[in-house]
Amino acid sequence: MEEPWRILEFYSGIGAMRYSLIKAGVRGEVVEAFDINDRANDVYEHNFGHRPFQGNIQILTAADLDKYRAHGWLLSPPCQPYTRQGLKKHSADARASSFIKILDLMPHMLQPPLLLFVENVVGFEISDTHKQLMEVLARLGFVTQEYILSPLQFGIPYSRPRYFCLAKRKPLSFQNSLSDNKLLWTPPCRTSESTIITETSQHAVENKEELQTVCEPIRSFLEKESLYSHQQEFVGVASEFRSEDVLADRAALEEIDTIETNTSQHGEEVKGSIKKQSFLHEYVVPLSLIERWGNAMDIVYPESKRCCCFTKSYYRYVKGTGSLLATSEKSKLKPEENPEISSGKEMFLRFFTPREVANLHSLPEDFDFPGHIGLRQRYALLGNSMSVAVVAPLLQYLFSEPT
């Protein structure tokens, strides 16, 4: 295609889809982004200089969508209607209504998109919303390829399996037509080794994905200066907390900003000490929580090569929301080499920082949050985001021409 692709980005969030487009090297222009979340739009605007359309998608008409003359649509609709922990109401869930409205509009457009990309949770592929998606795409002459992939398959030590639908409107076609109209668990570049997924084979997929690639250790994704803590200070801070005090006093952080720039050694020592204390107070896991939920926590080490998916409730809760990091000096060794560490108290557990979660989502180094976005909000926005390491190669494959 000679002219740049014109692209619409639905449910744009904090911009992971757009970062994926950039990383994929797609020659395209995002002509509009859509998201109803005010804070997500703040982050998107902060990083890209453009504020997404914040109105209700359901007010759009087919004519409105035609005006954009978009070749490609990228969509990451709300996942709550399809999650394993949710009510699984599928299309009956109000949060699915905007995506269903988009599907309803497509047949009435004069210029439907040529390319479509949909991301969602595992479970979407067996929903009635998925059935409707497939019916609309077939009616409009699309050919599809579907995948369930995790960052683990791309060398990232992060278990976050997700469903992806790639669709091209005929006469466009995929480079590997053998994968057409199939649901696969291997990335497109290795489709010759793929296995078709059935509803009952998800557990097998999650086991097999560990074998796909030797991942980098978690250490590579951590903020280096915060990897290990002084143990006595750590224990002191953790012991002070009650379970309801997980969000620590931000006074130390605010004090950093009030310290005048001082090039003297004393000034630097003061600021360094405050930063260390503020870090401990921000991210330490209180001993009271370890005593109560220790057996239910997913604990990882700097040398681990897998951590659990971070949800939007990470930092608010410790059970089932994401992994916690052991920062004891002994945790420099691999877990199986740590017979002396027998309890959570000795591991000096902390939460992953928002920057570290962003790193595991493969967001670029220059990705940043505006200052007014609070800590809980940062975790929530990241929990609703996606893996650039997975999405970028899929978009590169989708936008490429057959050879």
Side-chain angles (χ1 to χ4, degrees):
M1 185 171 182
E2 294 184 1
E3 63 175 308
W5 297 100
R6 294 176 60 84
I7 298 166
L8 289 182
E9 186 183 4
F10 295 89
Y11 314 99
S12 50
I14 59 176
M17 192 82 80
R18 186 160 179 173
Y19 279 123
S20 299
L21 269 175
I22 296 170
K23 185 174 182 179
V26 173
R27 195 166 67 91
E29 173 192 4
V30 176
V31 294
E32 189 54 277
F34 302 84
D35 203 290
I36 201 169
N37 187 309
D38 187 51
R39 288 291 175 261
N41 290 340
D42 287 347
V43 179
Y44 191 103
E45 183 178 19
H46 178 73
N47 287 283
F48 296 107
H50 171 78
R51 190 170 188 84
F53 174 82
Q54 199 165 319
N56 191 338
I57 291 176
Q58 292 178 250
I59 69 173
L60 296 175
T61 66
D64 292 329
L65 295 175
D66 272 323
K67 289 178 183 177
Y68 291 108
R69 298 181 291 110
H71 308 112
W73 287 9
L74 313 179
L75 307 99
S76 180
C79 64
Q80 292 88 345
Y82 318 105
T83 57
R84 284 179 289 183
Q85 292 81 13
L87 299 176
K88 298 182 180 180
K89 296 172 68 176
H90 299 177
S91 62
D93 192 308
R95 291 166 290 191
S97 58
S98 62
F99 182 57
I100 292 172
K101 176 63 182 293
I102 293 172
L103 296 180
D104 289 339
L105 291 177
M106 288 180 66
H108 301 286
M109 294 180 62
L110 297 177
Q111 294 180 321
L114 299 173
L115 306 172
L116 199 78
F117 181 89
V118 179
E119 180 267 356
N120 215 283
V121 293
V122 176
F124 176 85
E125 76 282 2
I126 58 172
S127 69
D128 58 357
T129 309
H130 172 267
K131 181 180 178 181
Q132 183 175 349
L133 170 64
M134 293 295 107
E135 289 174 350
V136 169
L137 294 179
R139 191 188 323 164
L140 294 176
F142 280 85
V143 60
T144 64
Q145 295 186 8
E146 300 173 273
Y147 299 90
I148 292 179
L149 303 172
S150 170
L152 290 170
Q153 294 167 269
F154 296 81
I156 309 298
Y158 186 36
S159 180
R160 191 184 179 92
R162 286 296 184 267
Y163 163 87
F164 302 95
C165 174
L166 285 63
K168 288 191 173 189
R169 188 155 61 90
K170 299 174 183 178
L172 297 183
S173 60
F174 287 99
Q175 287 182 338
N176 185 357
S177 60
L178 295 177
S179 300
D180 289 355
N181 305 313
K182 293 179 181 177
L183 179 58
L184 309 166
W185 63 268
T186 305
C189 60
R190 294 196 293 265
T191 44
S192 61
E193 305 168 10
S194 298
T195 297
I196 297 177
I197 303 235
T198 65
E199 293 181 24
T200 58
S201 64
Q202 180 184 338
H203 180 69
V205 172
E206 292 176 343
N207 288 337
K208 288 181 180 179
E209 68 182 8
E210 299 178 28
L211 306 176
Q212 296 298 312
T213 307
V214 176
C215 294
E216 294 184 58
I218 287 174
R219 168 195 297 277
S220 301
F221 300 81
L222 301 178
E223 297 189 71
K224 300 298 187 294
E225 68 275 9
S226 62
L227 182 53
Y228 300 110
S229 302
H230 294 284
Q231 296 183 9
Q232 288 185 338
E233 292 176 282
F234 199 107
V235 172
V237 172
S239 299
E240 292 172 5
F241 278 170
R242 296 167 298 169
S243 60
E244 61 267 28
D245 293 329
V246 176
L247 264 184
D249 186 358
R250 304 297 295 273
L253 285 176
E254 295 169 0
E255 187 176 348
I256 296 175
D257 297 328
T258 65
I259 295 178
E260 295 182 0
T261 303
N262 190 335
T263 57
S264 69
Q265 182 178 356
H266 176 69
E268 292 301 318
E269 288 176 354
V270 170
K271 287 195 284 187
S273 176
I274 292 175
K275 286 182 179 180
K276 184 198 299 182
Q277 286 299 317
S278 67
F279 180 85
L280 289 175
H281 278 270
E282 285 285 279
Y283 301 113
V284 63
V285 179
L287 291 181
S288 57
L289 287 180
I290 296 174
E291 291 168 353
R292 182 177 181 184
W293 298 108
N295 292 335
M297 293 176 176
D298 183 76
I299 299 171
V300 297
Y301 302 79
E303 300 306 322
S304 298
K305 294 191 175 183
R306 178 189 180 115
C307 67
C308 289
C309 175
F310 297 102
T311 74
K312 66 178 183 179
S313 296
Y314 189 68
Y315 194 75
R316 293 178 57 206
Y317 305 101
V318 296
K319 180 181 178 182
T321 62
S323 299
L324 301 171
L325 182 69
T327 61
S328 163
E329 287 290 331
K330 297 175 184 177
S331 67
K332 291 181 179 179
L333 302 173
K334 295 181 180 179
E336 58 270 20
E337 298 171 356
N338 279 302
E340 297 179 34
I341 296 182
S342 58
S343 73
K345 295 180 181 180
E346 297 172 341
M347 294 180 186
F348 310 120
L349 299 179
R350 71 164 175 86
F351 293 93
F352 283 78
T353 70
R355 179 64 253 181
E356 290 165 348
V357 176
N359 292 343
L360 286 162
H361 278 90
S362 302
L363 290 166
E365 291 183 6
D366 60 357
F367 166 80
D368 193 18
F369 288 97
H372 69 278
I373 303 296
L375 196 57
R376 286 195 184 193
Q377 291 173 326
R378 296 183 184 202
Y379 283 118
L381 292 168
L382 286 165
N384 285 330
S385 191
M386 63 185 73
S387 170
V388 173
V390 179
V391 175
L394 291 177
L395 291 180
Q396 186 179 52
Y397 176 66
L398 175 65
F399 283 88
S400 62
E401 300 289 344
T403 55

